[in-house]
Amino acid sequence: MDTTTAPAILAEQLRVWGLSVINTDGQGLSVVNPPNPACTEAVGTRDGLYVTGWGYELGESGDEVGTAQRLAFLLSRPSGWQTSGTEKQG
């Protein structure tokens, strides 16, 4: 049985962007931009959508790559910051 949840997949995609992620309850995430810890966001799910703590819809469950990209933008991570493992690309 596959126990990987959509929030866990999103968390991994956010880490690719160099963001720090804490899975708060199996469904919600707390996301921080490490170089600028003031840039933080809570993300949850509602009706199949990823939603910020402020109610901003980030994307649909199933589009974790696009959702992570939008949240990285909101948290001031420029497009060249995707990483593979620990190396910066771009």
Side-chain angles (χ1 to χ4, degrees), residues 9-31:
I9 295 167
L10 177 59
E12 186 58 36
Q13 291 298 316
L14 291 165
R15 288 183 187 103
V16 168
W17 281 91
L19 296 166
S20 177
V21 181
I22 298 171
N23 191 331
T24 57
D25 63 4
Q27 293 298 312
L29 303 173
S30 178
V31 185

Side-chain angles (χ1 to χ4, degrees), residues 2-73:
D2 183 10
T3 59
T4 305
T5 64
I9 295 167
L10 177 59
E12 186 58 36
Q13 291 298 316
L14 291 165
R15 288 183 187 103
V16 168
W17 281 91
L19 296 166
S20 177
V21 181
I22 298 171
N23 191 331
T24 57
D25 63 4
Q27 293 298 312
L29 303 173
S30 178
V31 185
V32 177
N33 181 348
N36 187 356
C39 291
T40 183
E41 187 59 72
V43 178
T45 57
R46 181 182 64 213
D47 299 326
L49 298 171
Y50 290 106
V51 182
T52 69
W54 295 98
Y56 180 79
E57 294 177 0
L58 293 168
E60 297 179 359
S61 180
D63 182 22
E64 284 74 22
V65 171
T67 300
Q69 182 178 13
R70 286 183 282 283
L71 185 54
F73 175 80

